[in-house]
Amino acid sequence: MNETMTAAFLPGDSTVELRTVPVPTPGHGEVLLRVKASTICGSDIRCIYHEHLGKGPEGYQGVIAGHEPCGKIVATGEGCRCFKTDDRVIVYHISGCGVCNDCRRGYMISCTSEKFRRAYGWQRDGGMAEFMVAEEKDLIALPDELSFADGAQVACGFGTVYEGLTKIGIDGNHAVLITGLGPVGLATGALCRKLGANKIIGIDVVPERMKIALDLGLCDTVLASGPDNVAQVKEITGGFGVERAVDCSAHHAARATAIRATRKWGKIVFIGEGGTVELNPSPDMIHDQKTLYGSWVTSTWLMEELVERLVRWKLHPADIITHRFPLERASEAYALMASGKCGKVAVCADEELV
Ligand SMILES: NC(=O)c1ccc[n+]([C@@H]2O[C@H](COP(=O)([O-])OP(=O)(O)OC[C@H]3O[C@@H](n4cnc5c(N)ncnc54)[C@H](O)[C@@H]3O)[C@@H](O)[C@H]2O)c1
Ligand SMILES: [Zn+2]
Ligand SMILES: [Zn+2]
């Protein structure tokens, strides 16, 4: 095997730097993956690509970028207990200490160990490279029915959404409003369909994104973001509003719309990160008996459940990928994702680069 490889770094001035670095060696309990697909997330753009804004769990420490990798194991370190060479795997994107209460619940995202909590692509090397090292405990088996590009979106994208939807519960009684139709909002549409939502309404500001949501059949109605959104949603829902709303925009106005366009006894989940929201608790929430949830990523066990459901539902997360680039063109991939004129953007290798 080669001793060096190409890897992408994000200096924080809206550029991507490709460097030649040594191929890493897996240590105890670790594996070496040939990265087949590595997708770009809104969080990468928001916190790292334009500027290094994040602190703590969102602090970028100059490592190889990419927290949404999927690949095939090419070598294992000592002490691996389950996975072996040639296994196809998804990486849960935050490696936790494994023994704090949050890690024991499967939520390594909120691991409380300052020393051992390290997210791939943020505080430890991630997937925008030919190869990467991952800890065996962070791996989820990728079924044969799913492609590597499908798998790359199971942790941060579809996994995050599945968690949020599990909290509010979605079924055939529900009209659902999705504010923000980036990759996370599109994933919400795809999962709500399979969970049986009766009507799916989406809102965004970017025409390309609104079109993708309609073309892929992920929303029944798409509205341009504006001050009339609450009235428009009520009109589409018999004057009541939706039973469930999911904010995937992080925009203050869209968040307020998500709450106000939800009917009495309805449930709302906030997934979009950062920013603020202003609401009037009595009319917006209390008097209508509404429940608002926050949801951060997912757990390893729910990710395993999602992977099983994806196969059963014949749902392919890769269907929301609109653009694929080889690693050498990673800078074009990030620039496109930053423009918003796309669905999900993936950096791919080998059989995934078609
Ligand atoms: N909670 C979590 O665990 C978690 C996990 C992953 C991503 N995220 C966050 O989820 C959000 C969505 O991720 P993404 O990758 O789809 O990002 P994205 O930036 O591609 O998508 C956000 C979308 O919101 C739209 N938008 C902006 N203002 C709007 C408004 N006023 N009304 C309606 N739509 C509006 C944008 O046009 C864009 O299409 C981001 O904030 C990301 O950081 C959260
Ligand atoms: Zn992500
Ligand atoms: Zn922990």
Side-chain angles (χ1 to χ4, degrees):
M1 207 168 83
N2 295 348
E3 287 182 357
T4 59
M5 63 176 190
T6 305
F9 296 79
L10 300 174
D13 56 358
S14 307
T15 66
V16 175
E17 202 176 294
L18 291 181
R19 290 187 211 151
T20 302
V21 299
V23 173
T25 307
H28 191 273
E30 293 180 332
V31 305
L32 182 69
L33 297 184
R34 165 65 173 148
V35 180
K36 299 279 191 177
S38 179
T39 44
I40 302 176
C41 177
S43 312
D44 294 322
I45 303 297
R46 181 170 54 83
C47 294
I48 309 181
Y49 177 68
H50 293 308
E51 256 184 285
H52 295 171
L53 286 180
K55 301 254 177 329
E58 289 195 336
Y60 175 62
Q61 293 178 359
V63 296
I64 298 171
H67 65 268
E68 302 183 353
C70 188
K72 193 178 226 182
I73 298 178
V74 291
T76 53
E78 276 178 43
C80 284
R81 298 174 175 188
C82 169
F83 289 98
K84 57 188 188 312
T85 299
D86 285 340
D87 282 351
R88 306 164 79 245
V89 291
I90 304 167
V91 181
Y92 182 93
H93 46 313
I94 298 94
S95 190
C97 72
V99 287
C100 73
N101 185 266
D102 297 72
C103 282
R104 286 180 197 266
R105 289 171 190 260
Y107 290 84
M108 290 191 286
I109 176 69
S110 43
C111 170
T112 50
S113 165
E114 273 185 32
K115 183 169 172 199
F116 292 107
R117 183 203 186 279
R118 290 178 303 151
Y120 294 93
W122 299 73
Q123 298 96 28
R124 63 180 291 163
D125 288 335
M128 288 292 171
E130 292 174 71
F131 298 94
M132 74 177 280
V133 162
E135 291 188 27
E136 186 191 28
K137 74 173 196 333
D138 304 338
L139 303 178
I140 305 286
L142 177 71
D144 290 342
E145 292 87 343
L146 299 179
S147 69
F148 293 106
D150 287 325
Q153 290 166 90
V154 165
C156 188
F158 277 65
T160 294
V161 172
Y162 191 57
E163 175 82 26
L165 297 183
T166 302
K167 286 183 177 129
I168 58 174
I170 300 285
D171 64 41
N173 290 312
H174 300 148
V176 183
L177 172 64
I178 305 167
T179 47
L181 297 172
V184 173
L186 295 175
T188 306
L191 286 169
C192 284
R193 280 261 182 262
K194 294 297 182 184
L195 290 164
N198 166 263
K199 188 176 281 184
I200 305 174
I201 305 164
I203 300 181
D204 205 293
V205 286
V206 180
E208 284 84 354
R209 293 219 151 143
M210 296 162 68
K211 184 170 178 328
I212 292 169
L214 286 176
D215 289 351
L216 294 177
L218 305 179
C219 289
D220 300 301
T221 307
V222 172
L223 305 170
S225 176
D228 299 332
N229 286 157
V230 174
Q232 290 168 314
V233 171
K234 286 195 174 165
E235 199 183 318
I236 300 168
T237 51
F240 297 112
V242 292
E243 283 77 22
R244 300 287 184 265
V246 186
D247 176 69
C248 306
S249 77
H251 192 276
H252 61 94
R255 281 175 171 155
T257 297
I259 293 173
R260 293 181 185 139
T262 296
R263 73 186 284 175
K264 280 188 182 175
W265 299 100
K267 295 183 179 178
I268 305 113
V269 60
F270 278 3
I271 293 178
E273 288 237 48
T276 59
V277 65
E278 192 177 298
L279 51 98
N280 305 319
S282 289
D284 291 341
M285 303 277 312
I286 298 171
H287 296 169
D288 280 348
Q289 314 275 11
K290 295 180 197 175
T291 311
L292 173 62
Y293 290 79
S295 199
W296 199 19
V297 183
T298 189
S299 64
T300 38
W301 70 264
L302 202 68
M303 229 170 103
E304 278 188 335
E305 181 180 297
L306 171 61
V307 163
E308 190 198 318
R309 297 296 188 277
L310 291 174
V311 172
R312 208 188 288 180
W313 290 331
K314 296 189 172 43
L315 177 57
H316 289 281
D319 289 350
I320 68 163
I321 295 177
T322 52
H323 299 79
R324 296 181 187 223
F325 293 88
L327 184 59
E328 293 65 35
R329 291 172 56 203
S331 67
E332 285 170 66
Y334 279 89
L336 177 65
M337 182 65 187
S339 80
K341 295 180 176 172
C342 52
K344 193 76 173 175
V345 177
V347 169
C348 295
D350 306 336
E351 64 269 50
E352 290 294 339
L353 195 60
V354 281

